[in-house]
Amino acid sequence: MTRPAVAGAYEFSVYSTSIKTPWEAVVHEVLRLEADVYAFSCYVWNMGLVNEVRRAVRAARPGVHIILGGPQVMRQAARYLEPGDERTVVCNGEGEQAFADYLTALAQGQPSLADIAGLSFRRNAELVTTADRPRLADLNLIPSPYLSGIIEPEYSVAIMETNRGCPYHCGFCFWGAATNDRVYRFDEDRIRAELTWLSDNDVMFLYIADANWGMLSRDIDFTKHLAAEARRTGLPSVVYFSAAKNKPHAVTAITEVLQDAGLIATQPVSLQTLEPASLRTIARSNIKLAAFTELQDDLAARGISSFIELIWPLPGETLTSFKAGINDLCIRHAQTIIAYSHLLLHNTPIYQRRAELGLATRRAAADVAEAEIVVATADVSVDEFVEGMWFFYALHALHNTRSLAGTLRYLAERDGDAYARTFSDFADFWRKECADDDPIVDFTRRSIDEARYYDIGNYGELIHHVLHEHRALFDRTLQQFSCRQEWWTDETARTLFELDLLNRPYIYSNTPRDFFGYPFTTVDALTTARGYVVRLRQPPGPELLRHLRIADDADLGSEILVDHRRRQFAHMADQPMEHNANYCHGMIEKVENILPTWRRPAA
């Protein structure tokens, strides 16, 4: 719109919808716009839907122009441009200037697409790709979509970027490879004005789209400005970001600023793997484990949540090393651990080496996506991949929910492999001992068999079942599993197990408090509206207190209130599962915000 030739020739309409919208409905709405040019943003999670819609548009209106842009299609024109279609083009690289040049050429009536850098198209059935377009070094040439009025103040979720680029070259990611190390920045005054606009216009959830938030010193200043605006207006209330990979202390400072302002935030720690052979293969370095341990202890002392991001399976990783890495993270006090699917993304270094690395893939269950999920490598068989997924779901249900937190800390001092062994044993117990009609086990089995783990909301749905809908069932499963373990005869371990039951968080504020069908032997507990009143039957020894990490100021020799009323939202039964699952996933990443407090009851 900054170009007179474009502004005078075109009117623009933005169509945005959920990928859950049926494609027939999307086609109906898109055709109803009766546009001359259709531009599609193409990503791994929406490409199946985009393909259906663009084909329907082409069939219904053969004369329209279509341009595809985004990381799924760039440099992949041969895959997406049919030989007979000369009115569809692919944008390779950044889209702002290329799209403006494309629209300018179309407005001239006799477009010479060969003169536009960064495009691929068909001419006489042959594929033509023009010269690469240099990256835009001065990002301020791009008008702000918020401050210019292009985006109407009608959204509760917003995405913004303060810089563009990534200095890393991780093998599974195209970000660094696409930007050749250089990070370009938007003007600081513009960023502050955008953050103010978002706060003034009812944005509740803010996603910061920078590759490494906290990498630049100004990121802390931006965070302080955002926190000040949130104090002024009460919004946004939740902030998500991708943390700088090797600047954990800067990221901690950012998370603390957000938390102090009342925003729900958590510190991501992107490790992907702890296996040295895999890190070499994917050309990645992580923070040192000693620094990681220090970081986790510092975060816990400040009451700040963090979550560890892993990818399963990366080349060079084995099932044994995957389990061992997670065991090490748990010993080092990792709060929440999330193992994402390994998506084989177009244009990445690993994509180019898929045969060499022995990668086998399957399509994601969702037809709207075009995701290739890695299910085997030269080092991991398909069966081992499945075992690794069961292992992660067991970890997610036990560790991330704090279901055996104190117990496992105690056991790990005596057995360095206690975490990994317990998660493996619990996964086997689920698969072999639990009834076929157990809804949590059935959910887990279908999630793995049908690759539903591709949708990150699936992990949130497991938390919904474990901590809410089937909480009593999971209590019984946990008790049945635990009483079969060798440590059950250890009175300290059993006391910690019973306290873990009382300390396990509630994901919603309105979940009924547990009525345990379990005969407590070391603890007396009374259910209250806020949680439990607890008394140990025997005075706690120093070893017991050391492993609890829940009662620093409490005297467990007297009555203690376990107060579960923290920062949970209420379960909204009228909302679809997708809504509640996404909420649960977000909250378990911020588990420090929902863990109960232990204190003496008020006099």
Side-chain angles (χ1 to χ4, degrees):
M1 295 284 289
T2 62
R3 298 188 183 185
V6 173
Y10 295 93
E11 294 179 352
F12 293 86
S13 297
V14 176
Y15 176 70
S16 177
T17 189
S18 166
I19 58 172
K20 304 292 186 181
T21 304
W23 73 268
E24 297 90 347
V26 177
V27 169
H28 173 77
E29 291 299 316
V30 166
L31 289 176
R32 193 169 61 84
L33 296 172
E34 296 186 346
D36 299 299
V37 181
Y38 287 93
F40 292 92
S41 293
C42 305
Y43 295 85
V44 66
W45 58 80
N46 76 343
M47 196 63 212
L49 178 60
V50 168
N51 277 330
E52 294 286 356
V53 175
R54 71 181 181 90
R55 288 170 184 149
V57 168
R58 173 62 71 221
R61 304 191 62 197
V64 302
H65 297 277
I66 296 175
I67 181 169
L68 309 175
Q72 189 67 2
V73 296
M74 60 185 294
R75 304 183 187 178
Q76 300 289 322
R79 178 192 299 264
Y80 297 105
L81 298 181
E82 288 82 6
D85 184 357
E86 297 190 357
R87 300 174 80 86
T88 299
V89 305
V90 165
C91 175
N92 300 307
E94 291 173 302
E96 289 93 351
Q97 289 186 323
F99 186 43
D101 288 348
Y102 172 71
L103 293 178
T104 301
L106 293 184
Q108 293 171 353
Q110 296 290 330
S112 178
L113 299 183
D115 296 331
I116 302 175
L119 294 184
S120 293
F121 51 89
R122 296 283 186 180
R123 283 294 178 266
N124 300 318
E126 294 297 320
L127 184 64
V128 177
T129 296
T130 63
D132 288 342
R133 178 180 293 270
R135 285 185 60 209
L136 189 60
D138 184 2
L139 296 181
N140 296 301
L141 294 174
I142 307 170
S144 167
Y146 301 115
L147 304 179
S148 65
I150 293 297
I151 292 183
E152 297 292 334
E154 59 184 358
Y155 297 98
S156 61
V157 178
I159 302 172
M160 68 173 293
E161 57 180 354
T162 73
N163 66 59
R164 188 176 288 182
C166 180
Y168 303 109
H169 290 268
C170 302
F172 53 82
C173 179
F174 185 50
W175 214 328
T179 55
N180 298 319
D181 295 340
R182 296 299 300 274
V183 177
Y184 296 119
R185 311 178 189 188
F186 287 96
D187 179 75
E188 292 190 16
D189 289 341
R190 164 187 170 147
I191 297 304
R192 290 189 178 90
E194 287 186 328
L195 291 171
T196 297
W197 186 95
L198 295 171
S199 184
D200 282 336
N201 286 279
D202 299 331
V203 169
M204 295 179 61
F205 301 88
L206 174 60
Y207 290 79
I208 298 173
D210 298 4
N212 296 280
W213 186 246
M215 180 178 68
L216 304 177
S217 60
R218 70 180 198 164
D219 295 345
I220 296 178
D221 294 331
F222 289 152
T223 304
K224 291 178 179 178
H225 179 79
L226 173 62
E229 294 302 291
R231 287 190 180 97
R232 179 177 62 87
T233 68
L235 294 171
S237 56
V238 181
V239 178
Y240 293 91
F241 58 88
S242 296
K245 307 303 182 286
N246 288 310
K247 292 199 173 180
H249 295 296
V251 177
T252 297
I254 285 171
T255 307
E256 189 167 32
V257 168
L258 296 172
Q259 182 150 303
D260 287 347
L263 285 84
I264 299 176
T266 183
Q267 178 161 341
V269 183
S270 299
L271 297 178
Q272 317 310 358
T273 177
L274 273 68
E275 170 54 42
S278 183
L279 289 170
R280 288 192 296 270
T281 300
I282 64 175
R284 182 183 175 87
S285 62
N286 285 332
I287 64 172
K288 304 299 183 184
L289 284 178
F292 171 81
T293 304
E294 178 185 345
L295 171 66
Q296 292 301 303
D297 289 342
D298 181 47
L299 292 171
R302 299 177 189 223
I304 296 175
S305 293
S306 69
F307 67 98
I308 314 304
E309 297 179 304
L310 303 175
I311 297 176
W312 168 250
L314 287 170
E317 185 85 86
T318 66
L319 178 61
T320 299
S321 69
F322 177 62
K323 291 183 176 182
I326 286 175
N327 188 85
D328 202 5
L329 290 173
C330 292
I331 289 174
R332 295 175 186 274
H333 309 153
Q335 295 185 21
T336 299
I337 300 172
I338 301 296
Y340 298 111
S341 306
H342 179 189
L343 302 184
L344 189 60
L345 302 178
H346 291 169
N347 304 305
T348 61
I350 286 179
Y351 184 85
Q352 312 297 342
R353 300 174 59 195
R354 60 187 302 173
E356 170 196 348
L357 298 172
L359 304 187
T361 63
R362 65 174 293 178
R363 285 290 300 270
D367 291 336
V368 297
E370 195 181 60
E372 287 187 84
I373 303 170
V374 176
V375 296
T377 70
D379 306 290
V380 172
S381 68
V382 172
D383 287 343
E384 288 173 325
F385 166 75
V386 170
E387 183 179 340
M389 289 305 304
W390 276 97
F391 178 87
F392 170 73
Y393 276 88
L395 172 151
H396 197 35
L398 294 180
H399 175 78
N400 292 345
T401 66
R402 301 300 187 270
S403 292
L404 289 176
T407 309
L408 286 175
R409 275 193 295 270
Y410 171 73
L411 296 176
E413 281 197 355
R414 289 148 181 75
D415 175 4
D417 297 327
Y419 284 101
R421 181 174 294 107
T422 300
F423 302 150
S424 294
D425 290 347
F426 190 79
D428 288 343
F429 181 76
W430 253 357
R431 298 173 73 178
K432 299 173 184 177
E433 302 293 332
C434 292
D436 292 338
D437 59 353
D438 183 314
I440 301 177
V441 175
D442 181 64
F443 170 83
T444 303
R445 181 174 288 110
R446 287 186 289 108
S447 297
I448 295 172
D449 291 348
E450 300 170 16
R452 297 186 182 188
Y453 46 76
Y454 158 76
D455 184 344
I456 197 64
N458 175 269
Y459 291 167
E461 189 172 348
L462 179 72
I463 298 300
H464 171 88
H465 292 310
V466 167
L467 293 182
H468 175 69
E469 186 171 350
H470 302 296
R471 187 181 180 105
L473 171 63
F474 190 76
D475 285 343
R476 292 194 296 273
T477 301
L478 194 60
Q479 294 157 23
Q480 291 166 3
F481 168 77
S482 297
C483 69
R484 299 185 182 191
Q485 306 309 303
E486 292 182 2
W487 53 261
W488 190 249
T489 57
D490 182 329
E491 185 172 351
T492 298
R494 197 167 66 254
T495 302
L496 287 165
F497 168 81
E498 295 184 356
L499 291 171
D500 281 336
L501 288 180
L502 300 168
N503 193 52
R504 195 152 57 98
Y506 287 86
I507 201 74
Y508 301 108
S509 61
N510 56 349
T511 301
R513 297 294 174 255
D514 278 323
F515 178 78
F516 300 98
Y518 164 78
F520 283 90
T521 61
T522 66
V523 173
D524 292 316
L526 174 67
T527 302
T528 72
R530 298 179 66 96
Y532 308 100
V533 174
V534 177
R535 179 192 287 271
L536 287 178
R537 296 179 184 176
Q538 297 294 328
E543 185 174 51
L544 183 66
L545 293 176
R546 186 173 74 251
H547 290 287
L548 284 176
R549 300 181 70 185
I550 54 177
D552 294 340
D553 300 322
D555 178 7
L556 284 179
S558 61
E559 284 192 347
I560 296 298
L561 174 63
V562 184
D563 191 345
H564 278 274
R565 189 166 296 175
R566 293 293 308 282
R567 300 182 69 180
Q568 302 95 328
F569 288 69
H571 173 243
M572 290 179 277
D574 59 337
Q575 291 292 331
M577 176 56 75
E578 176 190 8
H579 174 277
N580 290 311
N582 287 335
Y583 161 80
C584 288
H585 180 69
M587 292 306 288
I588 211 67
E589 288 180 345
K590 309 171 187 65
V591 70
E592 285 291 328
N593 289 310
I594 61 172
L595 289 178
T597 57
W598 289 56
R599 57 183 173 81
R600 296 180 183 181

